[in-house]
Amino acid sequence: MTDLFSAYKMGKFNLSHRVVLAPLTRCRALNGVPQPALTEYYGQRSTEGGLLISEATTIDQEGIGYPHVPGIYTKEQIEAWKKVVDAIHAKGGLIFCQLWHAGRASHKSFDGIELHAAHGYLIDQFLKDGVNDRTDEYGGSIENRCRFLMEIIQAVVAVIGSDRVAVRISPMSNDVDTMDSYPLNLGLTVIEKLNTFQVDMGLKLTYLHVTQPRVMPSPEQIGTEDEEAKFMQTLRRAYQGTFMSAGGFTQELGMKVVTDGDADLISYGRIFISNPDLVYRFKINAPLNKYVRETFYTHDPIVGYTDYPFLN
């Protein structure tokens, strides 16, 4: 039986389990430079054959969305990230760098990159008809609204190859007032284009990462747990490749989704913050530390960041 602890071949990468660290903004990179605390934080959560996704990382000064989020566009930032990546690799782990725009992470020792096309940021603003009011070839029809994302994917794949590129989308979400009138249609259209792109390239992207939100105001009135599950199942069945799901999963729900074949990988956020040894705790069904929400976005390099206790 397949479950969270079953091995998985993700393209050219061999994973020993299916519990993934979700990309989580933590605001600990003072002045945009990863500090030693980041090396400790990611190292704590690394496991042999486990996949981590970095917090959203900017590729230029104009892309900064919050104070003290990391960048990857100066020599100092690049050298700092190398230390983080080396700490993860030393434990046998893998890390993909999540970029808010297309960028140059492949040259900084990361195993791959995740293009952030979700949660109301730049690419998502092109995808959603609730905010995209352009009248050129990037606005209007759903075909046009998907154009920006696909052009970015094509450009990045041309540089580092499709087997090191992943994409995150959130067609149902309404983060920062970005919403779409028909999120299912949007999600299926993006997936159709990704499938076609993969066939044309003859190689698959590393994975598609889809957020399952809790609140989804739309004409389709999606909102109950059953309706959310059916929505995600529809996208999963449509996508021809590795499907990662995110959105408030417990161990039990993650197990069920993987066992039922509704996702290949599950990314965990808040409970991974408070449990650096989350994979081990899951394996032995140990109790979890409670997270302290008030410390999620402070700039303290220790409190609420690297001081959550391990089980042993």
Side-chain angles (χ1 to χ4, degrees):
M1 181 182 71
T2 301
D3 62 21
L4 284 175
F5 308 113
S6 301
Y8 183 74
K9 186 167 181 57
M10 184 182 72
K12 67 179 183 180
F13 302 103
N14 294 312
L15 303 183
S16 63
H17 58 81
R18 301 172 186 233
V19 178
V20 179
L21 173 66
L24 299 162
T25 296
R26 302 304 311 279
C27 300
R28 261 70 172 193
L30 301 183
N31 300 315
V33 179
Q35 304 296 308
L38 272 77
T39 302
E40 182 177 359
Y41 172 80
Y42 284 103
Q44 287 176 337
R45 288 153 183 79
S46 301
T47 56
E48 181 76 31
L51 174 63
L52 311 181
I53 307 173
S54 81
E55 56 210 276
T57 304
T58 60
I59 65 160
D60 59 47
Q61 188 74 22
E62 299 298 321
I64 298 174
Y66 305 101
H68 304 304
V69 295
I72 196 165
Y73 53 88
T74 70
K75 183 177 180 180
E76 184 181 12
Q77 292 167 337
I78 291 166
E79 292 303 316
W81 269 121
K82 285 181 178 179
K83 295 176 182 177
V84 177
V85 174
D86 287 347
I88 295 165
H89 287 168
K91 290 191 173 182
L94 302 168
I95 181 168
F96 270 48
C97 180
Q98 189 192 71
L99 300 179
W100 275 344
H101 313 299
R104 309 166 295 166
S106 65
H107 302 294
K108 315 305 180 286
S109 304
F110 284 97
D111 298 292
I113 66 170
E114 179 182 282
L115 296 174
H116 197 347
H119 300 169
Y121 295 111
L122 182 61
I123 302 174
D124 199 28
Q125 292 170 21
F126 276 79
L127 293 173
K128 303 286 180 62
D129 65 5
V131 290
N132 185 342
D133 57 1
R134 298 174 69 105
T135 58
D136 59 10
E137 67 270 27
Y138 295 98
S141 71
I142 193 168
E143 295 285 327
N144 285 354
R145 287 184 277 119
C146 291
R147 188 186 308 276
F148 185 54
L149 169 61
M150 296 310 301
E151 288 182 353
I152 291 173
I153 293 172
Q154 291 167 7
V156 176
V157 166
V159 175
I160 67 173
S162 61
D163 57 353
R164 298 179 66 191
V165 177
V167 179
R168 187 173 195 180
I169 61 173
S170 57
M172 295 180 288
S173 69
N174 65 337
D175 300 274
V176 292
D177 295 325
T178 55
M179 62 184 70
D180 195 81
S181 301
Y182 302 98
L184 180 58
N185 187 38
L186 174 60
L188 290 175
T189 301
V190 170
I191 286 174
E192 178 185 4
K193 291 186 175 297
L194 294 178
N195 288 340
T196 300
F197 176 77
Q198 292 177 147
V199 170
D200 291 344
M201 291 294 297
L203 290 169
K204 295 184 184 297
L205 299 173
T206 313
Y207 60 81
L208 174 64
H209 192 179
V210 183
T211 304
Q212 176 175 287
R214 299 173 184 81
V215 180
M216 298 160 294
S218 75
E220 294 174 298
Q221 295 300 307
I222 303 169
T224 69
E225 289 186 7
D226 285 345
E227 288 168 332
E228 288 183 20
K230 290 178 182 177
F231 188 106
M232 297 295 284
Q233 289 163 1
T234 300
L235 298 186
R236 198 280 195 269
R237 287 194 296 268
Y239 182 60
Q240 298 167 9
T242 296
F243 191 91
M244 184 187 303
S245 188
F249 281 93
T250 61
Q251 178 182 357
E252 293 74 22
L253 183 55
M255 279 284 196
K256 183 180 188 306
V257 168
V258 170
T259 299
D260 291 347
D262 294 334
D264 299 302
L265 306 170
I266 304 294
S267 68
Y268 288 88
R270 289 167 293 178
I271 60 174
F272 221 145
I273 287 175
S274 56
N275 295 275
D277 54 351
L278 182 67
V279 177
Y280 177 65
R281 289 175 186 260
F282 275 3
K283 282 184 177 179
I284 65 172
N285 292 312
L288 302 181
N289 300 321
K290 294 182 179 180
Y291 55 80
V292 181
R293 187 183 297 271
E294 291 76 18
T295 65
F296 282 178
Y297 308 112
T298 69
H299 311 315
D300 193 303
I302 298 175
V303 177
Y305 194 57
T306 58
D307 64 343
Y308 282 107
F310 288 76
L311 193 61
N312 295 327

